[in-house]
Amino acid sequence: MGSALLPTLRRKPEVDAAIRDTLDKVLVLRFGRADDAACLHLDDILAKSSWDISRFATVALVDMDSEEMQVYIDYFDITLVPATIFFFNAQHMKMDSGTPDHTKWIGSFSSKQDFIDVVEAIFRGAMKGKLIVSCPLPPERIPKFQLLFKDMTELYEAMFRQKSL
Amino acid sequence: MPPKRGAAPAAAFEYCELCRRNHDQGRRHRYFPAHRAALAAALSRFRSKLLDLRRALRHPSSAARSRLWCPFCSADLVDLDSRFACSNAIYHLASQDHLNGMKAFLQKHGGGMDQVDSFRISEDELAKWEKCCESSSTEQETSTEGTACQGSSSFGSIPYSAPFETFGVPIIPCGSVALHEQQVMLGTDLFQSAGTKMKGGQLTILGNGPNSSVSCSVHVQQRNSGGNSSQGLKANVHTGAPPPWLEASERDQENESLSGYARPSSRKGKSGKLNPKRVGAAWAERRRAEMEMEKRGELVPETSDSSWLPNFGGVWQSGTRKESRKEFEKNHKPHEEKSNKLSLEMKPYISKRMFC
């Protein structure tokens, strides 16, 4: 539903234009794919709150599956979806949320208000000339991510190898 | 015909793995619409998988190990111990066994021998891939000797390898980070595997977090997780590479003439109230001026796609026919006179040469 309400960018020039031409507003780009459960949840939150934040932010979705988007996926090193990236005046805005990665928000938000708070913090920081802001959310509401193996056989194999070395 | 059909039935019940049914139609079976549809579906499925594989072939990486089912040879191609993605599958697809199996399959099920080449990997491609693999592995070795697990360049791989305290599984330190390929996103500590699905080279694991009850999934792409730490050359946001959205406008940035236009426009409107030290203030003002000019048709927007059209000006862009005519006359009158004069001057010279 969310993906139907928000503009979806599929080509690189579209994303370029969105980043370059969104002036004095926060641009929220959601990298993901519409058939993903977490993405759907995030899209829903984005779509619902896009009107509330429309005076200081614009929200757009980016379809990760298109071939042209690989440039951006490589640049932002996107491995986990959904990944939300913030821009202000063609500048990439970073957020220190206690996670290993400051360059993007990984996962969904627990509520609409959380998302609005995050975007507002970024907008306020950007208007003060800050390229990195700290996350206004309490740590328990920030999605954590860890590394895990695809299946345990690989893990055991890796362990075994290490022992044998 | 009838005696043949009568003779066959007792022995001729055979199983078609495409249609998943037993039949006694003999070789006629492969012309049946259901069989043809099943064959087309199987081939197209395999073709799409092969597309992914070809990507791995072009850019060998140690990431994204996927399982491939070869329908021709009925073989499951899994690679667990190789260093590069899909190497087992690649070797299989280039092998003679696969070619034979494919020929037998196509002969049995119909479908045209002309497709044989599209379902296998040629020796040239294999040789190229092997060369790439060799070069990248030597690169890795040399660079891991130096700074293998330094923080700054290895942002993508190492910080993600957070300890598995919650699972009671021992940690594998940075030395074997190259083995970590699949990143899985979980809720904080509660992990309920709601479901797994394999989709090409992508693994999706759904896990429910305790607080948000949001299932988060993983996008595993073919990335060189070990290479991130070792190569250090990969241009991305962590290495401070120039952002891709500014590539198109690099030429514009050098263009200083626009800065003069930027000033007056920044005074008027709401930007006057904004903090001049805000992030990207200069960019916003310059871009706003550019966009204004683009709107007025003075500046042709920089587009690189095929739908680009030149600025014809006049009636094509804005204004009436009369205006454009006047503009044309104003621009072209002096030029015409000049050219007339020139042509008059030129004539005697040409004639001189002709006479000589």
Side-chain angles (χ1 to χ4, degrees):
Chain A
M1 189 60 192
S3 54
L5 295 171
L6 294 167
T8 306
L9 313 176
R10 292 198 169 79
R11 297 177 55 240
K12 184 176 176 286
E14 289 175 350
V15 180
D16 286 345
I19 296 173
R20 299 172 66 207
D21 297 349
T22 308
L23 302 178
D24 294 331
K25 267 186 173 187
V26 177
L27 173 69
V28 182
L29 285 189
R30 186 278 280 149
F31 283 78
R33 43 179 72 87
D35 58 352
D36 185 82
C39 268
L40 283 175
H41 183 261
L42 180 61
D43 287 356
D44 190 42
I45 288 172
L46 298 186
K48 276 186 193 163
S49 44
S50 65
W51 171 251
D52 299 330
I53 57 171
S54 61
R55 282 171 68 96
F56 64 94
T58 316
V59 185
L61 313 178
V62 178
D63 182 18
M64 273 178 74
D65 289 327
S66 68
E67 201 55 36
E68 289 183 44
M69 282 307 135
Q70 286 307 313
V71 182
Y72 276 101
I73 291 164
D74 290 343
Y75 179 72
F76 287 114
D77 195 22
I78 297 170
T79 43
L80 302 166
V81 290
T84 313
I85 303 178
F86 303 95
F87 299 88
F88 189 85
N89 279 343
Q91 280 277 356
H92 176 206
M93 293 297 295
K94 293 157 189 88
M95 171 168 276
D96 181 4
S97 46
T99 52
D101 197 349
H102 295 167
T103 59
K104 51 193 165 285
W105 180 276
I106 286 171
S108 188
F109 293 88
S110 60
S111 71
K112 199 177 117 179
Q113 191 55 47
D114 280 1
F115 171 66
I116 295 172
D117 289 348
V118 163
V119 178
E120 192 189 337
I122 283 177
F123 180 73
R124 284 184 189 280
M127 289 306 275
K128 287 175 190 158
K130 286 173 183 157
L131 283 169
I132 183 160
V133 295
S134 52
C135 184
L137 305 182
E140 66 267 16
R141 289 219 296 273
I142 297 169
K144 302 279 187 295
F145 47 94
Q146 287 180 322
L147 183 81
L148 196 72
F149 289 89
K150 191 174 96 189
D151 47 26
M152 285 298 138
T153 52
E154 275 186 37
L155 175 66
Y156 288 133
E157 213 175 63
M159 283 165 57
F160 177 74
R161 250 192 232 155
Q162 207 196 4
K163 270 184 188 171
S164 62
L165 288 172
Chain B
M1 276 305 265
K4 262 188 192 172
R5 279 172 83 186
F13 253 103
E14 57 182 322
Y15 181 71
C16 173
E17 63 255 40
L18 283 176
C19 308
R20 291 186 191 141
R21 60 185 279 254
N22 289 299
H23 63 86
D24 61 344
Q25 283 115 3
R27 292 184 58 77
R28 284 187 305 146
H29 172 75
R30 61 181 191 168
Y31 300 110
F32 280 35
H35 177 82
R36 287 195 153 187
L39 178 71
L43 290 184
S44 68
R45 213 177 309 132
F46 187 67
R47 206 171 277 144
S48 69
K49 280 181 188 172
L50 214 60
L51 266 181
D52 291 340
L53 195 75
R54 281 192 196 280
R55 212 170 292 143
L57 194 69
R58 258 177 268 133
H59 313 285
S61 63
S62 57
R65 237 157 240 187
S66 66
R67 202 170 257 201
L68 184 76
W69 172 257
C70 177
F72 305 114
C73 316
S74 301
D76 196 8
L77 308 167
V78 194
D79 47 351
L80 287 172
D81 51 356
S82 62
R83 292 189 60 186
F84 292 98
C86 315
S87 61
N88 196 11
I90 288 169
Y91 282 122
H92 172 80
L93 291 178
S95 68
Q96 187 65 33
D97 291 346
H98 176 68
L99 183 67
N100 294 342
M102 195 163 46
K103 278 182 178 167
F105 180 90
L106 290 175
Q107 216 163 17
K108 190 179 169 195
H109 295 291
M113 283 295 176
D114 50 331
Q115 304 176 47
V116 166
D117 283 337
S118 65
F119 292 119
R120 64 189 294 265
I121 288 167
S122 66
E123 283 171 6
D124 295 344
E125 284 174 308
L126 184 73
K128 249 185 220 171
W129 176 76
E130 277 176 341
K131 211 179 272 175
C132 281
C133 287
E134 270 176 28
S135 62
S136 64
S137 63
T138 49
E139 254 176 47
Q140 271 185 16
E141 276 166 21
T142 50
S143 50
T144 42
E145 279 168 14
T147 55
C149 303
Q150 297 298 317
S152 62
S153 64
S154 59
F155 196 94
S157 54
I158 287 149
Y160 285 126
S161 57
F164 293 90
E165 287 140 4
T166 48
F167 302 96
V169 181
I171 314 153
I172 293 169
C174 335
S176 57
V177 159
L179 296 164
H180 300 203
E181 273 99 30
Q182 319 291 345
Q183 291 182 359
V184 174
M185 185 176 170
L186 305 174
T188 42
D189 52 341
L190 187 87
F191 175 53
Q192 297 170 345
S193 175
T196 54
K197 65 174 182 187
M198 283 289 279
K199 196 179 171 191
Q202 293 160 4
L203 167 80
T204 309
I205 296 183
L206 302 171
N208 290 333
N211 306 312
S212 54
S213 75
V214 180
S215 61
C216 299
S217 78
V218 190
H219 161 69
V220 177
Q221 67 183 80
Q222 296 202 337
R223 63 191 288 271
N224 204 344
S225 53
N228 244 359
S229 60
S230 54
Q231 283 176 3
L233 297 168
K234 201 177 163 191
N236 63 13
V237 68
H238 308 302
T239 56
W245 61 90
L246 290 179
E247 279 167 14
S249 68
E250 265 173 16
R251 207 161 55 88
D252 290 358
Q253 281 178 334
E254 289 160 12
N255 194 356
E256 292 296 319
S257 65
L258 280 168
S259 56
Y261 290 98
R263 294 284 162 222
S265 72
S266 62
R267 296 279 150 76
K268 65 186 177 191
K270 81 172 188 183
S271 60
K273 293 176 219 160
L274 299 175
N275 182 4
K277 283 182 184 170
R278 70 190 186 280
V279 172
W283 167 269
E285 281 168 13
R286 201 174 65 90
R287 187 75 195 129
R288 193 169 283 131
E290 268 180 19
M291 281 160 74
E292 261 176 39
M293 285 174 74
E294 277 168 20
K295 225 181 257 176
R296 277 184 271 137
E298 288 173 25
L299 192 79
V300 181
E302 286 270 331
T303 43
S304 53
D305 59 349
S306 55
S307 63
W308 181 82
L309 274 175
N311 181 6
F312 292 109
V315 74
W316 302 103
Q317 233 72 17
S318 63
T320 59
R321 281 179 178 277
K322 198 177 175 185
E323 275 172 29
S324 67
R325 198 189 76 191
K326 274 184 182 171
E327 200 180 329
F328 176 80
E329 282 170 358
K330 200 173 73 187
N331 290 341
H332 286 258
K333 250 189 180 171
H335 187 249
E336 272 174 21
E337 283 168 11
K338 244 185 212 173
S339 62
N340 279 342
K341 269 182 193 171
L342 271 177
S343 59
L344 281 170
E345 283 168 10
M346 292 286 272
K347 265 179 190 169
Y349 179 69
I350 293 166
S351 60
K352 258 185 194 174
R353 280 200 75 172
M354 288 291 280
F355 282 119
C356 292

